[in-house]
Amino acid sequence: MLQARGAAPPDPREQPVASSSRAVKKDNGKNLWIPIPRITLNGLPDLVPLARAHGDSRCRPDDVDGPGVRVEVNGSEIALFRFGQQVFATLAKCPHAGGPLELGDIEDLACGEPCIVCPYHKYRFRIITGRNSFPNQAEFNLETFPVRVRQGGRLFLGVSKLAEQAFEQEF
């Protein structure tokens, strides 16, 4: 790329990272935003009306196929959960014993932050922070990821670095 003499070089953080027309972009040096393939906001079960229908703050896997949806993004299995217009993402496997978190119950903690309950051993994780809340063991905290909802309900996952598999992903 040619540039005029004396001109500042282009900022590499503003350059596309992948060669797709929907290129992955870097955001303020913190996250790379990767499109989540084959699913939109409306394709996720909305847990807010499900909880209200039960008259409590609990959503059960038998209400839908599961309260979450498992997708592969950037070489990782990710569980997505929708609460109204917000989408949360965690690793799909429980850090304790590998249980499928997208199939677990969703509950509100006393502080109002939703938590995912692993269907295997009932470990609970705060869905926003990933902090283990039962039993309270820090070595079993869950990795979480930011999600952006764009025009048309397209979902983008924020990651700190790209895995090799990200370049093989179909959008």
Side-chain angles (χ1 to χ4, degrees):
M1 180 174 170
L2 295 175
Q3 67 186 59
R5 285 189 182 171
D11 185 348
R13 293 175 297 184
E14 298 298 322
Q15 301 300 310
V17 180
S19 60
S20 165
S21 62
R22 298 180 186 115
V24 175
K25 298 211 183 229
K26 192 114 177 168
D27 176 27
N28 297 328
K30 293 181 181 179
N31 289 308
L32 296 165
W33 294 94
I34 301 175
I36 298 174
R38 297 179 288 281
I39 194 157
T40 63
L41 179 68
N42 291 332
L44 292 173
D46 189 352
L47 301 177
V48 171
L50 290 175
R52 287 185 186 142
H54 285 290
D56 61 23
S57 61
R58 182 181 200 121
C59 293
R60 295 172 183 82
D62 56 348
D63 294 328
V64 289
D65 290 338
V69 172
R70 183 182 286 229
V71 295
E72 184 175 335
V73 180
N74 198 35
S76 296
E77 294 289 322
I78 303 294
L80 299 171
F81 304 94
R82 176 182 173 192
F83 293 87
Q85 297 301 306
Q86 289 185 299
V87 178
F88 300 97
T90 70
L91 283 180
K93 291 183 180 179
C94 176
H96 169 245
L101 293 178
E102 75 278 6
L103 300 178
D105 288 347
I106 301 291
E107 297 178 350
D108 280 342
L109 295 174
C111 65
E113 182 179 340
C115 93
I116 179 77
V117 181
C118 179
Y120 285 5
H121 301 108
K122 307 304 179 203
Y123 274 57
R124 288 177 177 81
F125 305 93
R126 294 176 184 225
I127 208 162
I128 297 170
T129 63
R131 184 171 169 225
N132 176 278
S133 61
F134 177 82
N136 194 2
Q137 297 174 328
E139 69 266 22
F140 293 120
N141 287 340
L142 178 64
E143 188 173 359
T144 61
F145 304 89
V147 176
R148 286 189 174 168
V149 181
R150 294 290 190 204
Q151 187 175 16
R154 293 263 311 153
L155 302 173
F156 289 79
L157 186 77
V159 297
S160 59
K161 64 181 181 178
L162 290 177
E164 285 185 32
Q165 297 91 332
F167 295 99
E168 299 166 5
Q169 183 173 332
E170 292 182 28
F171 297 106

